[in-house]
Amino acid sequence: MIQIHNKALLKTISIERIIKKIEGKKEGPVVVFFGGIHGNETAGVFALHSVLNKINADDVKGTVYGITGNIKALKKNQRFIEKDLNRIWTLENLESLENKDTYHPEELEQIELYSILKNILNSHKGPFYFIDLHTTSSRTLPFITINDSIINRKFSQLFPVPIVLGIEEYLNGPLLSYINTLGYVSLGFESGQHDDEHSITCAIAFVNLVLGYTDVVLK
């Protein structure tokens, strides 16, 4: 368990790698949220901690996961330690992990996250939805980022925010790009500026919308 501080709220919370897992009594969608893939972006972690801890398992059909990203960087409130954790999710990098003797800090984070990801995919039937919560260095309106695929477009169009298409053309190795190559819906959500309290509010709202649109939380 680690302590994560948010400057906007002047608040510290204790979290683990799995912020929360909520498993309903009936099979259904599997919704996986990531927060803090970048260590200076704490809004997503705080939003997940707030929303998921208020949900009763009796109201869930399927399974919901909240997962902490770069724990080492979150401890220091910096984007990353040595390598950007959201730029190393290529097939080449993943395959090389098996043959290394030493690892940089983000590779150690990646190994643990990759194991969790594989376990989730092997433990459930789906459908699967993967959501990565982020913030930006400058002030901005909330928006969605997706790899330009039909399944991503269909789901992202449900949300009342702008959509930025084709991030895979400009960024090499994002986590969601790797997940999308596996054939699953994967959306990134930028909720606003890093240290703006409104970013947490927007992330909370988006998490709740995802839970509603996927029908994983019973109405």
Side-chain angles (χ1 to χ4, degrees):
M1 185 170 288
I2 64 165
Q3 304 290 308
I4 295 181
H5 182 73
N6 182 271
K7 296 178 181 178
L9 296 179
L10 297 177
K11 182 179 178 180
T12 300
I13 58 174
S14 299
I15 61 162
E16 298 183 355
R17 176 70 72 184
I18 304 295
I19 299 169
K20 190 79 173 181
K21 175 186 177 182
I22 310 168
E23 193 158 14
K25 295 179 180 179
K26 295 181 179 180
E27 290 188 356
V30 179
V31 182
V32 182
F33 294 98
F34 297 96
I37 291 293
H38 291 136
N40 60 334
E41 300 177 20
T42 60
V45 177
F46 273 72
L48 292 174
H49 184 269
S50 174
V51 174
L52 300 187
N53 280 304
K54 295 175 183 176
I55 296 175
N56 190 316
D58 291 337
D59 296 327
V60 173
K61 181 182 178 182
T63 310
V64 181
Y65 290 87
I67 300 174
T68 308
N70 196 336
I71 286 177
K72 295 181 182 66
L74 281 164
K75 285 181 180 178
K76 297 186 175 183
N77 198 257
Q78 61 188 52
R79 185 177 174 90
F80 55 85
I81 305 300
E82 288 189 23
K83 300 278 187 177
D84 191 327
L85 181 57
N86 208 31
R87 299 292 185 273
I88 58 176
W89 291 88
T90 64
L91 289 176
E92 181 181 6
N93 285 348
L94 289 170
E95 290 172 357
S96 71
L97 292 177
E98 299 179 2
N99 303 314
K100 285 192 169 187
D101 296 321
T102 59
Y103 302 92
H104 62 67
E106 273 70 33
E107 285 177 327
L108 294 174
E109 300 281 340
Q110 183 181 32
I111 288 170
E112 190 169 341
L113 290 169
Y114 188 40
S115 176
I116 292 170
L117 175 60
K118 289 189 293 184
N119 182 63
I120 290 172
L121 294 174
N122 291 332
S123 300
H124 303 281
K125 295 180 180 179
F128 295 94
Y129 300 86
F130 292 89
I131 311 295
D132 192 10
L133 302 174
H134 285 271
T135 49
T136 54
S137 56
S138 59
R139 189 178 296 276
T140 182
L141 293 174
F143 62 94
I144 286 171
T145 61
I146 58 171
N147 282 32
D148 193 4
S149 64
I150 293 174
I151 57 173
N152 284 342
R153 281 197 181 203
K154 185 177 180 180
F155 187 59
S156 62
Q157 287 170 352
L158 295 172
F159 299 91
V161 294
I163 302 166
V164 178
L165 299 173
I167 60 170
E168 76 279 4
E169 298 177 11
Y170 302 98
L171 302 178
N172 186 40
L175 169 61
L176 292 186
S177 292
Y178 169 70
I179 292 173
N180 199 223
T181 65
L182 302 178
Y184 304 115
V185 174
S186 52
L187 272 65
F189 180 65
E190 302 278 357
S191 63
Q193 194 172 29
H194 297 327
D195 298 325
D196 187 342
E197 185 175 349
H198 188 60
S199 299
I200 302 173
T201 303
C202 290
I204 288 172
F206 189 77
V207 169
N208 281 315
L209 284 176
V210 170
L211 295 174
Y213 289 149
T214 55
D215 292 324
V216 72
V217 174
L218 303 176
K219 300 175 183 177

